[in-house]
Amino acid sequence: MNKRIYLDHSATTYTKPEVLEEMLPVFNEYFGNPSSIYSYGREAKRLVDKARDRVAKALNALPEEIFFTAGGSEADNWALRGVAYANKERGNHIITSKIEHHAILHTCQQLEKEGFKVTYLPVDKYGMVSLEDLKNSITDETILISIMYANNEIGTIQPIDEIGKIAKESKIYFHTDAVQAVGNIKIDVKEQNIDLLSLSAHKFYGPKGVGALYIKKGTRITNLITGGGQERGRRAGTENVPGIVGLGKAIELATENIDSYNEKLLKLRTKLINGIMERIPYTLVNGHPEKRLPGNANFCFKYIEGESLLLNLDMKGIAASSGSACTSGSLDPSHVLLAIGLPHEIAHGSLRLTLGEENTEEDIDYVLEVLPEIVQRLRDMSPLYEKVKGGNQ
Amino acid sequence: MNKRIYLDHSATTYTKPEVLEEMLPVFNEYFGNPSSIYSYGREAKRLVDKARDRVAKALNALPEEIFFTAGGSEADNWALRGVAYANKERGNHIITSKIEHHAILHTCQQLEKEGFKVTYLPVDKYGMVSLEDLKNSITDETILISIMYANNEIGTIQPIDEIGKIAKESKIYFHTDAVQAVGNIKIDVKEQNIDLLSLSAHKFYGPKGVGALYIKKGTRITNLITGGGQERGRRAGTENVPGIVGLGKAIELATENIDSYNEKLLKLRTKLINGIMERIPYTLVNGHPEKRLPGNANFCFKYIEGESLLLNLDMKGIAASSGSACTSGSLDPSHVLLAIGLPHEIAHGSLRLTLGEENTEEDIDYVLEVLPEIVQRLRDMSPLYEKVKGGNQ
Amino acid sequence: MYSEKVMEHFTTPRNVGEIKDADGIGEVGNAKCGDIMKIYLKIENDIIKDVKFKTFGCGAAIATSSIATELIKGKTVEEALKLTNKAVVEALDGLPPQKIHCSVLAEEAVKAAIEDYKKKHNK
Amino acid sequence: MYSEKVMEHFTTPRNVGEIKDADGIGEVGNAKCGDIMKIYLKIENDIIKDVKFKTFGCGAAIATSSIATELIKGKTVEEALKLTNKAVVEALDGLPPQKIHCSVLAEEAVKAAIEDYKKKHNK
Ligand SMILES: Cc1ncc(COP(=O)(O)O)c(C=O)c1O
Ligand SMILES: Cc1ncc(COP(=O)(O)O)c(C=O)c1O
């Protein structure tokens, strides 16, 4: 069995050949330190500037508003801590949601320990925050709203335009964790009134270990990593030039091809979701029916548990992920699945399939062939399913 | 003029072909997320673990004591802030030196603003801290000593063994910024009683944007980047797997070849320093005569300024660096050169040449041919030199 | 992450199923935490003649159930009661730390089934 | 980082040197800050017949000195006094922000030399 079908593009993607190609000469030819004034250094600086332009263009930001980081988590930490510390005389209240990535949630919890107050907005069964809730939670002390653009598990896309408006009217900074959105959704930080935005290259066919934080000009924010004067004095550390070059190329490719890419993924996903719902009973689809990432499909198969599902899929060559606790070694399943109101036992049976560039109709056919058997086999082994077969449910 | 001689290995190095070769398949073949349980993920995790073993071996640490970061600056920030915050009930005093890298100095200054007290130990004319000074500055409140292993400008190597002993006896954590030392000097964290150590791959022919912090088991330290459970819950963010693989290979190569590498560099450096001192009058050699990084040579040429020297060298194809203020856009020259007691006007005329792998005797001959002319030309243009020619000095 | 032995028991678990006229049935765990094990025993003359299990849970939960049934099959009730989670872990060539609780569950499931048997048969 | 024009003036600076019997000499800056400019003027009938400079400093310091001497050579003293740092920057096709102070120094050096001339010649 040598088939390998990768259906976990939200976890990470491979680096596209065109991206790697641009990166390669940076490792040993244009390898200079961008801070150096001689030609090796100036070449490297030019490459970093070019990447910055590309990122700015993709977001409709200014190049001087883009700051490279080591990834999405650093960008999220920087946005939250940086704005919180720099604005603490103005207020100590932050609003976020219950379904944020841990890079946001854990950082907010840390800030709470340091004396900040954090409101975690609930979401509806589709994973949507309510604009009413948001407005109601704003106080005189609110300095930052941080709501993710699109959810990494269930794919739900938040009403970013409206949140941006509310934040602007209330004169509150608006950060969005767009790690899952960039490359999949058209973003315009000016139009959408976004003050800060996190992104990470390895989610859109760029390399791992590099990301960026967009910081609107004039935003009050402290530094997270202090030291040398790189990134115009805002983020210390010798620049990851090959990574930055890769990020630049990847974001350019992604935004150029966004429409055709979306169309392709949507078609595959429709086939996948319909096929699964037709073939496998006792199954739920999680997330919003329309407002979701084009490549995201998320299911709960009742009476079985996610990890054993993943292991079986892996043996068939299919790479997927689950919000089950057992994949993470904790006891509670994913906070996202709980936040949309799923009971624990159902949330344990979740499966996330996230499509990408190289997936084909045949891949979907293969999943549709293999998955029902696996689910059935696990259900046959499950004491919970016994009772169902007996008539109830 | 297509000659290119790179003499700035302390700023950054190219990535060795053997290192890049190990990294390449990680971009698009073993590209999985190490947190995933399927085979793509397990492969990636194995690669990260292998790199961790290699780093541990190079330092004589345990693999579980190695935590990957985005570079030296993040490691330095983490060590200082992490230990300071986690131990603040035990005390609020940190000891460091005046010649640390900005990743240490600026972070210490930040901690001072937050209420910590920091002692910046002076150094002698060779750039050495005094063990007496160190002992005398320890108080009941001291929680951390952070002294760099080897200086990035003048190459001076600190008495790390003795500092480790003092720290151990006083039950104070000892961090060393070994960004310039790793790959150039044999390090044994156990033997040397080092509790925390920062390193950065791009200083020893690994890729940029990846480094590590060694944290001795049992050390009390908070996290710097919070979020996902990567690095055993200590450093959030999807692992930079290609970078980590490159770091692992680079550190293995560097430690394997350390003796022959040192010997080679020492020979070249002796030729370089002697040659320059013979040919160029009014010249000082900075740093310690013996206890210095094998590849480091640092000079001050009186009556001229560093940046114009660098630009002239660059035009001759030689890449070098200077501690002159003009390369950094500030007014004061390097804090390191001032700390060893050089007057501003002399410190402005500094030149750092740092040798590496690919340098040859011919490179040195070329520098010895080209540099005296350049220095003379600039001196002839200098109003300070006028006075000297007139007889005085 | 899992040993070959675990994967082997996960992919081809032994003794999956139910015993209609079981002499003892034990069910432990709960769906909320993501694992439930149910063990059925057929016992004759104090000897475990047959054993089956059903498990809802992760790979380790299924593998520990499988190996536990193998370890007690053919044993006397008293011998089976001596089954420890440590023995389960060892028989599987180890488990990742966060999965040790599955081996505890397997031990408890066996004990629960035997207790049920004893209760039903007034032992 | 530097424009071609700056590099051109840096590599082949015009009017480097001293004028032995200068009519005015101006020296500004200080070694501590890393730049000193010294300008020598030869003036006849209020016209700058010759100008030379010596500079200790960075690339921009040398280039601004060079262009400043070019800009005032052949000019009247009054015209030369109107030289601004902005004109220096423009003539060099721009300077990086942290180097603007070099153009200020060049302006000041020219003014200092003219002042010296005026003082010596009682103007
Ligand atoms: C002594 C020292 N510490 C820290 C750093 C920072 O390392 P990095 O630039 O990889 O963040 C450097 C190099 O720039 C250094 O030389
Ligand atoms: C929504 C979201 N935010 C943040 C992150 C963190 O990004 P990284 O792993 O690149 O640090 C991720 C991905 O892991 C994510 O999906």
Side-chain angles (χ1 to χ4, degrees):
Chain A
M1 234 298 307
N2 270 323
K3 211 179 184 89
R4 295 235 291 185
I5 298 181
Y6 187 72
L7 292 174
D8 203 13
H9 293 80
S10 276
T12 193
T13 56
Y14 61 95
T15 302
K16 273 195 191 171
E18 305 95 294
V19 172
L20 189 54
E21 202 185 304
E22 278 211 28
M23 293 170 66
L24 281 184
V26 188
F27 284 104
N28 40 32
E29 198 178 333
Y30 308 122
F31 69 86
N33 189 319
S35 303
S36 306
I37 65 168
Y38 43 75
S39 59
Y40 288 93
R42 293 197 307 268
E43 285 158 3
K45 184 160 188 314
R46 250 192 309 272
L47 292 173
V48 171
D49 287 343
K50 182 173 170 192
R52 201 185 307 284
D53 289 345
R54 284 168 157 177
V55 175
K57 193 164 163 234
L59 303 175
N60 191 27
L62 301 171
E64 60 263 36
E65 294 175 324
I66 305 301
F67 298 87
F68 294 111
T69 68
S73 299
E74 185 192 324
D76 283 345
N77 272 254
W78 186 8
L80 293 178
R81 290 178 197 275
V83 170
Y85 299 152
N87 296 280
K88 60 169 182 266
E89 353 50 62
R90 286 179 45 205
N92 74 342
H93 181 230
I94 296 167
I95 300 172
T96 185
S97 85
K98 288 204 161 133
I99 62 162
E100 298 294 313
H101 189 268
H102 283 139
I104 296 288
L105 287 182
H106 289 169
T107 307
C108 282
Q109 286 154 9
Q110 196 52 44
L111 287 169
E112 283 185 287
K113 285 193 201 144
E114 297 172 23
F116 290 90
K117 300 221 164 5
V118 182
T119 300
Y120 301 90
L121 296 177
V123 293
D124 65 16
K125 66 175 172 171
Y126 300 120
M128 280 283 179
V129 300
S130 129
L131 298 172
E132 275 317 299
D133 284 351
L134 172 62
K135 282 185 206 153
N136 292 337
S137 63
I138 292 175
T139 74
D140 284 351
E141 293 287 311
T142 311
I143 50 177
L144 177 65
I145 296 168
S146 179
I147 304 282
M148 72 198 315
Y149 208 117
N151 184 266
N152 44 308
E153 290 189 41
I154 56 174
T156 303
I157 298 169
Q158 301 297 335
I160 295 299
D161 295 18
E162 290 78 5
I163 298 172
K165 271 193 209 110
I166 294 171
K168 193 184 173 187
E169 280 160 17
S170 318
K171 297 201 170 59
I172 297 168
Y173 287 128
F174 173 35
H175 167 252
T176 186
D177 173 350
V179 168
Q180 291 289 340
V182 171
N184 290 300
I185 304 175
K186 282 182 195 160
I187 296 178
D188 183 324
V189 291
K190 295 282 167 281
E191 191 77 23
Q192 297 179 291
N193 294 306
I194 297 169
D195 298 307
L196 303 109
L197 178 145
S198 306
L199 61 89
S200 189
H202 72 99
K203 305 288 189 185
F204 47 89
Y205 308 98
K208 293 176 178 58
V210 60
L213 183 62
Y214 149 80
I215 306 175
K216 187 178 167 175
K217 251 199 312 194
T219 301
R220 287 168 60 104
I221 182 166
T222 63
N223 290 354
L224 181 70
I225 313 268
T226 50
Q230 292 90 351
E231 296 295 283
R232 289 140 286 149
R234 305 286 276 277
R235 197 276 193 176
T238 302
E239 297 87 340
N240 176 357
V241 190
I244 288 169
V245 166
L247 167 54
K249 180 68 178 174
I251 204 167
E252 183 176 277
L253 287 176
T255 36
E256 272 170 18
N257 303 325
I258 204 159
D259 289 326
S260 59
Y261 184 59
N262 270 354
E263 207 176 303
K264 178 198 151 121
L265 294 193
L266 263 178
K267 194 156 155 248
L268 291 180
R269 190 188 66 193
T270 305
K271 180 181 165 109
L272 177 68
I273 293 186
N274 291 348
I276 286 181
M277 294 310 286
E278 276 162 22
R279 284 171 182 74
I280 309 181
Y282 311 119
T283 300
L284 310 176
V285 179
N286 303 314
H288 197 282
E290 287 107 38
K291 290 176 186 141
R292 73 186 301 148
L293 290 170
N296 174 290
N298 191 304
F299 307 92
C300 279
F301 302 104
K302 290 187 184 174
Y303 320 121
I304 64 173
E305 190 277 336
E307 190 204 270
S308 47
L309 188 54
L310 296 191
L311 290 172
N312 273 300
L313 284 168
D314 186 39
M315 289 186 302
K316 296 283 183 186
I318 298 170
S321 96
S322 168
S324 167
C326 265
T327 61
S328 66
S330 81
L331 284 177
D332 281 334
S334 140
H335 63 285
V336 177
L337 300 177
L338 297 181
I340 60 173
L342 294 180
H344 279 66
E345 58 271 27
I346 291 180
H348 276 296
S350 78
L351 177 70
R352 180 184 75 175
L353 300 173
T354 44
L355 306 168
E357 195 68 18
E358 78 290 0
N359 292 138
T360 60
E361 298 254 348
E362 290 71 50
D363 291 352
I364 307 298
D365 288 333
Y366 180 70
V367 173
L368 294 179
E369 179 194 322
V370 158
L371 184 61
E373 288 169 15
I374 293 176
V375 171
Q376 193 53 48
R377 193 171 152 266
L378 288 172
R379 283 184 175 162
D380 286 341
M381 228 187 270
S382 168
L384 299 172
Y385 189 59
E386 255 174 42
K387 294 158 192 163
V388 185
K389 280 190 307 181
N392 26 347
Q393 263 268 6
Chain B
M1 232 298 305
N2 269 322
K3 210 179 186 89
R4 296 234 290 185
I5 298 181
Y6 187 72
L7 291 175
D8 203 12
H9 292 82
S10 276
T12 194
T13 57
Y14 62 93
T15 301
K16 273 195 191 172
E18 305 94 296
V19 171
L20 190 54
E21 201 184 306
E22 277 211 27
M23 293 170 66
L24 281 184
V26 188
F27 285 104
N28 39 33
E29 197 178 333
Y30 309 122
F31 69 85
N33 189 320
S35 303
S36 307
I37 65 168
Y38 44 74
S39 60
Y40 288 92
R42 293 197 308 268
E43 285 158 3
K45 183 158 190 315
R46 251 194 307 274
L47 293 173
V48 171
D49 286 343
K50 181 174 169 191
R52 200 184 308 283
D53 288 344
R54 283 167 157 177
V55 176
K57 193 165 163 232
L59 303 174
N60 191 26
L62 302 171
E64 61 264 34
E65 294 175 325
I66 305 301
F67 298 87
F68 293 112
T69 68
S73 299
E74 184 192 324
D76 282 346
N77 272 255
W78 185 9
L80 293 179
R81 289 178 198 274
V83 170
Y85 299 152
N87 297 279
K88 62 168 180 268
E89 354 48 66
R90 286 180 44 204
N92 72 343
H93 181 231
I94 296 167
I95 300 172
T96 184
S97 86
K98 288 204 162 130
I99 61 162
E100 298 294 315
H101 190 269
H102 284 139
I104 296 289
L105 287 182
H106 289 168
T107 307
C108 281
Q109 286 155 6
Q110 196 51 44
L111 287 169
E112 282 184 287
K113 285 192 202 147
E114 298 172 24
F116 289 89
K117 300 222 162 6
V118 182
T119 301
Y120 300 90
L121 295 177
V123 293
D124 66 16
K125 66 175 173 171
Y126 300 120
M128 280 283 180
V129 301
S130 130
L131 297 173
E132 275 317 298
D133 284 352
L134 171 61
K135 282 185 208 154
N136 292 337
S137 63
I138 293 174
T139 73
D140 284 351
E141 293 287 310
T142 311
I143 51 176
L144 176 66
I145 297 168
S146 179
I147 304 283
M148 72 198 313
Y149 208 116
N151 185 266
N152 43 308
E153 291 191 40
I154 56 175
T156 303
I157 298 169
Q158 301 297 335
I160 295 297
D161 295 18
E162 290 78 5
I163 298 172
K165 273 197 208 103
I166 294 171
K168 192 184 173 186
E169 279 159 18
S170 317
K171 296 201 171 60
I172 297 168
Y173 288 127
F174 173 35
H175 167 252
T176 185
D177 174 348
V179 168
Q180 292 288 341
V182 170
N184 291 301
I185 305 174
K186 282 181 196 159
I187 296 178
D188 183 324
V189 291
K190 294 284 167 281
E191 191 77 24
Q192 296 179 291
N193 294 307
I194 298 168
D195 298 307
L196 303 108
L197 178 146
S198 306
L199 61 91
S200 190
H202 71 101
K203 304 290 188 184
F204 48 88
Y205 309 98
K208 294 176 177 58
V210 61
L213 182 63
Y214 150 78
I215 307 175
K216 188 178 166 176
K217 252 199 312 196
T219 301
R220 288 168 59 106
I221 182 166
T222 63
N223 290 354
L224 181 69
I225 314 266
T226 49
Q230 291 90 351
E231 295 296 282
R232 287 139 289 147
R234 304 286 275 275
R235 198 275 190 176
T238 302
E239 297 87 342
N240 176 357
V241 189
I244 288 169
V245 166
L247 167 55
K249 179 67 177 176
I251 205 168
E252 183 176 278
L253 286 175
T255 37
E256 271 169 18
N257 303 326
I258 205 159
D259 289 327
S260 59
Y261 184 59
N262 270 353
E263 207 176 304
K264 178 198 152 121
L265 295 192
L266 264 179
K267 198 160 154 241
L268 291 180
R269 189 186 68 194
T270 306
K271 180 180 165 111
L272 177 69
I273 293 185
N274 292 346
I276 286 180
M277 294 310 285
E278 277 162 20
R279 284 169 182 75
I280 309 180
Y282 310 119
T283 301
L284 311 176
V285 179
N286 302 314
H288 198 280
E290 287 106 38
K291 289 176 187 143
R292 72 186 302 148
L293 289 170
N296 175 289
N298 192 302
F299 308 92
C300 280
F301 302 105
K302 290 187 184 174
Y303 320 121
I304 64 174
E305 190 277 336
E307 190 204 89
S308 49
L309 188 54
L310 296 192
L311 290 172
N312 274 298
L313 284 168
D314 186 39
M315 289 186 302
K316 295 283 184 187
I318 298 170
S321 95
S322 168
S324 167
C326 267
T327 60
S328 66
S330 83
L331 284 177
D332 281 334
S334 141
H335 64 284
V336 177
L337 300 177
L338 297 180
I340 60 173
L342 294 180
H344 279 67
E345 59 272 29
I346 291 181
H348 276 296
S350 77
L351 177 70
R352 181 184 73 175
L353 301 172
T354 44
L355 306 168
E357 194 68 19
E358 79 289 1
N359 292 138
T360 60
E361 299 254 346
E362 290 71 51
D363 291 352
I364 307 299
D365 288 332
Y366 180 71
V367 172
L368 294 179
E369 180 195 321
V370 158
L371 183 61
E373 290 169 13
I374 292 176
V375 171
Q376 194 52 48
R377 193 171 152 265
L378 288 171
R379 282 184 176 163
D380 285 343
M381 229 188 269
S382 168
L384 299 173
Y385 189 60
E386 255 174 43
K387 295 158 192 163
V388 185
K389 278 190 309 182
N392 23 347
Q393 262 268 7
Chain C
M1 117 175 137
Y2 287 132
S3 70
E4 272 177 41
K5 201 72 181 272
V6 172
M7 285 309 291
E8 205 246 310
H9 273 269
F10 169 69
T11 48
T12 52
R14 331 295 197 248
N15 307 311
V16 178
E18 295 163 51
I19 299 178
K20 288 278 166 262
D21 53 348
D23 298 306
I25 300 180
E27 182 174 318
V28 297
N30 69 67
K32 204 166 168 258
C33 293
D35 31 34
I36 298 179
M37 288 183 197
K38 191 165 178 184
I39 287 195
Y40 302 81
L41 299 175
K42 189 78 209 157
I43 294 173
E44 281 172 29
N45 299 329
D46 256 16
I47 287 177
I48 298 173
K49 283 284 171 192
D50 198 10
V51 45
K52 297 270 184 217
F53 80 90
K54 286 226 166 169
T55 289
F56 160 80
C58 64
I62 290 170
T64 53
S65 310
S66 166
I67 196 101
T69 58
E70 271 208 329
L71 288 170
I72 61 167
K73 196 164 175 177
K75 296 275 158 70
T76 65
V77 167
E78 286 320 300
E79 280 167 340
L81 270 176
K82 287 191 193 126
L83 179 79
T84 64
N85 85 298
K86 214 164 145 265
V88 168
V89 173
E90 274 165 18
L92 288 171
D93 297 341
L95 276 178
Q98 73 272 24
K99 299 293 188 180
I100 294 295
H101 76 99
C102 294
S103 67
V104 175
L105 226 52
E107 178 192 325
E108 287 174 359
V110 168
K111 298 217 159 114
I114 294 178
E115 241 147 68
D116 181 54
Y117 158 74
K118 287 191 172 175
K119 208 159 55 195
K120 282 188 190 148
H121 297 75
N122 287 320
K123 305 224 167 176
Chain D
M1 114 176 140
Y2 287 133
S3 69
E4 271 177 42
K5 201 73 181 271
V6 172
M7 286 309 290
E8 205 247 308
H9 273 268
F10 168 70
T11 48
T12 53
R14 332 293 197 249
N15 307 312
V16 177
E18 296 162 49
I19 300 179
K20 286 279 166 265
D21 53 348
D23 298 306
I25 300 181
E27 181 173 320
V28 297
N30 68 65
K32 205 167 168 256
C33 293
D35 31 34
I36 298 178
M37 287 183 198
K38 192 165 179 183
I39 287 196
Y40 302 80
L41 299 175
K42 189 78 210 157
I43 294 173
E44 281 172 28
N45 298 329
D46 255 14
I47 287 177
I48 299 173
K49 284 285 172 192
D50 198 11
V51 47
K52 297 270 184 214
F53 81 89
K54 285 227 167 170
T55 290
F56 159 80
C58 63
I62 290 171
T64 52
S65 310
S66 166
I67 196 99
T69 59
E70 271 208 330
L71 287 170
I72 62 169
K73 197 165 173 175
K75 296 277 159 64
T76 66
V77 167
E78 286 322 300
E79 280 167 339
L81 269 177
K82 286 189 195 128
L83 180 78
T84 62
N85 84 298
K86 212 163 145 266
V88 169
V89 173
E90 274 166 17
L92 287 171
D93 297 340
L95 276 179
Q98 73 274 22
K99 300 291 188 181
I100 294 296
H101 77 99
C102 294
S103 67
V104 175
L105 225 53
E107 176 191 327
E108 287 173 358
V110 168
K111 298 215 159 118
I114 294 176
E115 241 146 69
D116 181 53
Y117 158 75
K118 287 190 170 175
K119 208 157 60 196
K120 282 186 187 149
H121 298 75
N122 287 321
K123 304 224 169 178

